[in-house]
Amino acid sequence: MPSYVILLNWTDQGIRAFRDTLQRAQDFGALAERFGSRIKDLYWTLGPYDLVSLVEAPDDETATALALALSALGNVRTTTLRAYDREAMRAIIDKVS
């Protein structure tokens, strides 16, 4: 299944309710499952992003729908990156050769 890095920043609403972040992370996992996706990892971070998540989703459209549904809850804004593992990158390189 394709992988996606989701970079998250808390909104004003999200930071005001930072004490709920562990429950919201659990809810994010349940939301992902409803989309046929899986949260592989989730980290709270310092720097330009408040959280970083690695998600598996069936396709780009599903990953986009998941990010939209999550953002619509009002606690975070997302930036989503399609991620390729070593095997997928090998296949891409082989197409060029």
Side-chain angles (χ1 to χ4, degrees), residues 32-95:
E33 286 180 17
R34 289 201 323 255
F35 280 86
S37 304
R38 180 173 81 93
I39 308 302
K40 290 181 63 175
D41 285 306
L42 178 66
Y43 299 98
W44 287 259
T45 58
L46 298 175
Y49 297 97
D50 297 313
L51 300 101
V52 175
S53 181
L54 182 58
V55 175
E56 287 183 335
D59 50 48
D60 293 350
E61 293 80 8
T62 302
T64 301
L66 173 59
L68 286 169
L70 178 64
S71 294
L73 297 174
N75 294 305
V76 294
R77 297 198 190 290
T78 64
T79 300
T80 304
L81 309 169
R82 174 67 166 88
Y84 299 94
D85 62 16
R86 183 178 297 272
E87 185 177 304
M89 193 62 205
R90 171 55 51 204
I92 292 167
I93 291 169
D94 289 347
K95 288 183 180 202

